[in-house]
Amino acid sequence: MYGFIKKESDLKIEDAIYDEVVNAGDGWMHELLPGQTFRILDMEGNQAVDTTFYDMTNPEDHYGAVTTVVMQQNIYLTTGSILRTESGKPLLEITADLTGRHDTLGGACSSQSNTVRYAREKIDMHNCRDSFMLQLAKSDSGIQKRDLAPNINFFMNVPVTKEGGLKLDDGVSAPGKYVEMKALEHTMVLISNCPQLNNPCNAYNPTPVRLLIWDTK
């Protein structure tokens, strides 16, 4: 699968069993049952949503970027992509996508990376790693700081240069765009709605996203 596949969803918002807006810079953690469908909706456009997943039958077997990329032979995610754990177990399948491309390489911003990439005085800026750890600290799931996993950057544009480097470019999303995925296993979702202000991944203006869940067994 090398192309970008844009596909609309047949699901109606009024039928969702869960509907919440997550503000810019906030985190979110929620379980998905097998067969449920989860949508991330970019409300204002160009908002990066750092997201990782855990297999709740074995939380140590979390989302694996390498296994996901290798088994689909594509560094980007789109409709039809299977999100796998480190062991290769399928956790979710992307079933609808209006942007056609999501990043697997850029990782999550942290106080350390902000300092290295931008300036020493950026060390105290809010970042995705802090949001992840705050959600884990508040959770009774048993997932801990040591279990922090690689993440997907939904809606984030990270082209690979001819020299093999990574660029952080303007986003590929727009207001109302979304990505939707179906849980294949009992899955925990961990999100940081990225607060980054130092590069164009959020158009230098982080904004809210809307999260919805449907029972689609």
Side-chain angles (χ1 to χ4, degrees):
M1 185 183 66
Y2 292 91
F4 305 142
I5 307 170
K6 298 181 181 181
K7 180 184 176 184
E8 292 190 23
S9 172
D10 295 327
L11 297 175
K12 298 179 180 179
I13 286 181
E14 57 266 28
D15 295 331
I17 63 167
Y18 181 95
D19 187 349
E20 181 173 337
V21 172
V22 177
N23 289 325
D26 284 354
W28 182 85
M29 194 170 183
H30 200 282
E31 291 183 59
L32 295 177
L33 299 177
Q36 289 185 328
T37 295
F38 172 56
R39 178 186 295 180
I40 305 173
L41 190 153
D42 189 356
M43 298 178 70
E44 298 183 33
N46 288 345
Q47 174 61 33
V49 186
D50 292 41
T51 309
T52 193
F53 305 95
Y54 297 85
D55 177 4
M56 289 307 290
T57 64
N58 178 19
E60 292 184 0
D61 195 20
H62 50 64
Y63 166 73
V66 173
T67 50
T68 296
V69 167
V70 169
M71 296 187 78
Q72 73 164 7
Q73 299 183 36
N74 192 339
I75 60 173
Y76 300 113
L77 303 175
T78 187
T79 307
S81 291
I82 303 295
L83 311 184
R84 299 178 183 271
T85 66
E86 288 198 328
S87 71
K89 182 179 181 180
L91 270 187
L92 305 102
E93 178 182 2
I94 297 180
T95 53
D97 181 16
L98 294 187
T99 61
R101 170 168 152 167
H102 304 274
D103 169 62
T104 60
L105 303 177
C109 58
S110 65
S111 59
Q112 293 84 1
S113 66
N114 283 341
T115 301
V116 170
R117 289 175 177 169
Y118 308 113
R120 291 180 66 92
E121 60 266 25
K122 305 292 186 180
I123 193 168
D124 293 323
M125 292 186 71
H126 186 47
N127 58 78
C128 286
R129 185 176 175 84
D130 286 349
S131 292
F132 283 153
M133 290 195 292
L134 179 59
Q135 291 301 308
L136 293 178
K138 295 192 297 184
S139 168
D140 59 1
S141 64
I143 303 171
Q144 302 176 27
K145 175 182 176 181
R146 67 181 182 184
D147 301 311
L148 273 179
N151 64 280
I152 297 163
N153 295 307
F154 287 111
F155 309 120
M156 188 166 159
N157 186 18
V158 186
V160 177
T161 67
K162 293 180 180 180
E163 296 74 27
L166 301 179
K167 294 177 61 183
L168 298 174
D169 278 359
D170 292 337
V172 293
S173 186
K177 300 288 188 181
Y178 58 78
V179 60
E180 203 168 271
M181 59 211 81
K182 188 169 185 176
L184 306 176
E185 301 287 344
H186 185 191
T187 301
M188 181 67 79
V189 186
L190 176 61
I191 281 178
S192 169
N193 192 23
C194 183
Q196 184 59 259
L197 293 168
N198 298 296
N199 68 55
C201 72
N202 298 320
Y204 300 101
N205 179 38
T207 54
V209 295
R210 187 176 180 183
L211 308 177
L212 301 104
I213 299 173
W214 288 263
D215 273 332
T216 51
K217 299 178 182 178

